[in-house]
Amino acid sequence: MSDEPGTQDTPAGSPSIGPRPEPIRFFGTTWVDHGNGYALRRVGAAVGSLAAAVASCLILRFAYEGLQIADTGSFVTVLVIAMFAICSALTFRNTWDSFGSRPDPDRQASLRGLLAIGFVGSLLAYFFRSLAEAPGEKLHREEYEAARKEHEQRGARRTGNPSKKKRRR
């Protein structure tokens, strides 16, 4: 894999076939031409992420009931509910933004705890994005098209045998 997203190196001595698309989780490279079950994969990703979000909310409901049984008081209950709501909203926004641009690895590492607490927001972002396209498809398509264009321009400049080129005097 080369340093540029959307491109992969070819072994030395092999003909240059151009950049290959970067696979997307659950979709592989079907996002390029929307073939090979792309629509079914999108439906599956949307249904699966929504089902996981609903199951996660049920688990959080059990945690809430545990707080009620423990009689921790209204302050702790409100604090826990606010924590999950705020973290889910921030995680939703962070996940949604990561579909349009590559996230900064250092920032992602510093937000790891917050993103873990707000996992429901991430599942919901994945669900809503799956309704329109494969999550991350737009970003991958832009990078792939740019890599293809750059490859075509490089190939156009290097035509012919350089040893037979006439020298300017």
Side-chain angles (χ1 to χ4, degrees), residues 105-114:
D106 294 333
R107 183 173 182 266
Q108 289 295 105
S110 67
L111 292 176
R112 187 174 297 136
L114 181 123

Side-chain angles (χ1 to χ4, degrees), residues 60 84 87-88 91 108 111-122:
L60 290 176
F84 275 107
C87 289
S88 291
T91 302
Q108 289 295 105
L111 292 176
R112 187 174 297 136
L114 181 123
L115 298 175
I117 293 170
F119 62 98
V120 175
S122 183

Side-chain angles (χ1 to χ4, degrees), residues 1-2 5 13 17 20 29 42-43 46 61 84-85 90 119 121 130 143 149 155:
M1 187 90 170
S2 73
I17 57 174
R20 289 178 280 180
T29 57
R42 265 193 39 210
V43 169
R61 168 98 174 136
F84 275 107
L90 292 172
F119 62 98
S130 294
E143 291 173 348
K149 187 176 181 180

Side-chain angles (χ1 to χ4, degrees), residues 6 37 45 47 51 64-66 68-69 74 80 88 98 102 107 111 113 122 129 132 135 145 149 155 158 161 167:
V47 169
Y64 173 78
E65 289 177 0
Q68 294 299 316
I69 291 171
S74 61
V80 169
S88 291
S98 72
R102 297 269 177 187
R107 183 173 182 266
L111 292 176
S122 183
R129 186 60 119 184
E145 293 298 327
K149 187 176 181 180
R158 293 190 261 172
N161 187 349
R167 303 275 183 204

Side-chain angles (χ1 to χ4, degrees), residues 133-153:
E133 66 177 7
E137 178 181 346
K138 181 180 177 186
L139 173 65
H140 284 77
R141 187 170 303 283
E142 289 171 355
E143 291 173 348
Y144 177 60
E145 293 298 327
R148 281 184 52 200
K149 187 176 181 180
E150 180 183 330
H151 177 76
E152 289 172 4
Q153 288 175 347

